[in-house]
Amino acid sequence: MIFDSGLGGLLFYNQIKRIIPYSNYFYAFDNVGFPYGNKDKNYISYRIIKIINSICKLNKIDLIIIACNTASVLTLSELRKLLNYPIIGVLPAIRIATELTRNNHICLLATNNTIYSNYVSNIINKLSYKYTIISIPSMQLVHLAEKILQGYYSSNLLLHKIFTKWKNNNKTPDTIILGCTHFSLFTLNLLHILKKTVIDSNIITINFILNFIKNNISCNLNSKFICDKAYCVSLTKKTRNLVTILKYYGFESLNVINI
Ligand code: DGL
């Protein structure tokens, strides 16, 4: 099962589905709690536990993937204690960035919660003897990505404005970490405008998942009857409009769970 607060995890789903195609996927998103990037940790973990438990009652789940950096940095250890399933979270790929940077200046783009989390602060502190890591929180980009994923038009001009502001603000990071699943959507824009190395934390996590599956799980990766399903927590008019988009991604249905 892949979980995200919103539709950003669909980008992760697309990426993993290409690498592990013959597996059944369940995609769950919290369309009432979204966005998580500025919400309280207890609120987030309470909702995720409820959502995961409800879906696990209905389906056989081999692995839970928290495709949300915010939820992962805040709640992963608690989820692992409380839920009896293997759980892997997408986390900002900071260590990989230290291997790729040439000038030791790195920029992390993520939500407010991710950037101000103990998890990220501790890593940045530990690495500060050698690396300058600039953190840029942006909930504006989260909302923008969610809108685009819902099918709304967004002008390149706005993206250009946001990124160019960053370009002038920063010292000179040569490596940018996308520390929010939604931000994969902007990879090409970032490459085009900022001309830096861009590290997508989703891709790094997928490599880790592949290894994990090989070594730890005897799940059926070659399911004959693929029928991917999406789940949300409230079927509003806005969510109903997502059915066609979810079909396009490969989900045969959008279901509601009551939490
Ligand atoms: N996609 C989520 C992440 O990776 C965050 C979006 C939100 O604020 O809910 O951080």
Side-chain angles (χ1 to χ4, degrees), residues 22-144:
Y22 300 113
S23 204
N24 257 339
Y25 292 88
F26 301 96
Y27 183 74
F29 60 104
D30 183 359
N31 57 319
V32 171
F34 176 87
Y36 281 179
N38 51 10
K39 300 264 163 62
D40 178 68
K41 174 182 184 274
N42 293 334
Y43 171 86
I44 296 172
S45 59
Y46 173 83
R47 296 188 67 81
I48 298 179
I49 289 166
K50 286 269 187 190
I51 293 169
I52 290 178
N53 273 333
S54 308
I55 296 174
C56 288
K57 271 187 205 146
L58 302 171
N59 304 283
K60 188 184 166 299
I61 304 291
D62 294 305
L63 174 66
I64 294 167
I65 301 167
I66 306 296
C68 175
N69 291 258
T70 309
S72 296
V73 298
L74 294 182
T75 68
L76 206 53
S77 49
E78 191 183 345
L79 299 183
R80 284 188 176 134
K81 266 186 229 146
L82 297 175
L83 297 167
N84 207 11
Y85 295 90
I87 304 178
I88 293 178
V90 178
L91 289 161
I94 302 175
R95 290 196 190 276
I96 303 286
T98 62
E99 287 162 25
L100 295 179
T101 178
R102 287 172 175 219
N103 68 2
N104 295 350
H105 276 62
I106 296 165
C107 171
L108 169 65
L109 303 183
T111 63
N112 294 23
N113 270 343
T114 299
I115 292 219
Y116 301 119
S117 66
N118 290 337
Y119 175 87
V120 166
S121 311
N122 287 342
I123 296 180
I124 291 182
N125 280 342
K126 273 189 198 143
L127 295 168
S128 63
Y129 72 97
K130 187 169 174 190
Y131 303 96
T132 305
I133 304 178
I134 299 165
S135 301
I136 302 187
S138 178
M139 292 309 294
Q140 188 187 12
L141 273 189
V142 172
H143 286 288
L144 183 63

Side-chain angles (χ1 to χ4, degrees), residues 70-216:
T70 309
S72 296
V73 298
L74 294 182
T75 68
L76 206 53
S77 49
E78 191 183 345
L79 299 183
R80 284 188 176 134
K81 266 186 229 146
L82 297 175
L83 297 167
N84 207 11
Y85 295 90
I87 304 178
I88 293 178
V90 178
L91 289 161
I94 302 175
R95 290 196 190 276
I96 303 286
T98 62
E99 287 162 25
L100 295 179
T101 178
R102 287 172 175 219
N103 68 2
N104 295 350
H105 276 62
I106 296 165
C107 171
L108 169 65
L109 303 183
T111 63
N112 294 23
N113 270 343
T114 299
I115 292 219
Y116 301 119
S117 66
N118 290 337
Y119 175 87
V120 166
S121 311
N122 287 342
I123 296 180
I124 291 182
N125 280 342
K126 273 189 198 143
L127 295 168
S128 63
Y129 72 97
K130 187 169 174 190
Y131 303 96
T132 305
I133 304 178
I134 299 165
S135 301
I136 302 187
S138 178
M139 292 309 294
Q140 188 187 12
L141 273 189
V142 172
H143 286 288
L144 183 63
E146 187 75 4
K147 280 268 167 223
I148 296 173
L149 289 163
Q150 286 170 354
Y152 293 96
Y153 169 78
S154 158
S155 125
N156 261 345
L157 223 63
L158 178 58
L159 284 174
H160 211 277
K161 221 166 127 187
I162 297 172
F163 294 146
T164 309
K165 190 174 71 192
W166 289 352
K167 190 176 176 179
N168 301 332
N169 257 350
N170 306 338
K171 282 188 186 160
T172 48
D174 67 352
T175 305
I176 298 175
I177 307 161
L178 304 180
C180 170
T181 38
H182 282 70
F183 295 173
S184 293
L185 194 63
F186 303 124
T187 306
L188 294 179
N189 307 84
L190 277 164
L191 286 169
H192 178 69
I193 300 167
L194 299 177
K195 301 188 173 51
K196 314 274 184 194
T197 303
V198 174
I199 299 176
D200 186 342
S201 304
N202 292 359
I203 307 276
I204 308 296
T205 311
I206 290 171
N207 286 333
F208 179 75
I209 290 171
L210 268 178
N211 274 332
F212 182 86
I213 288 175
K214 265 188 228 148
N215 299 327
N216 296 284

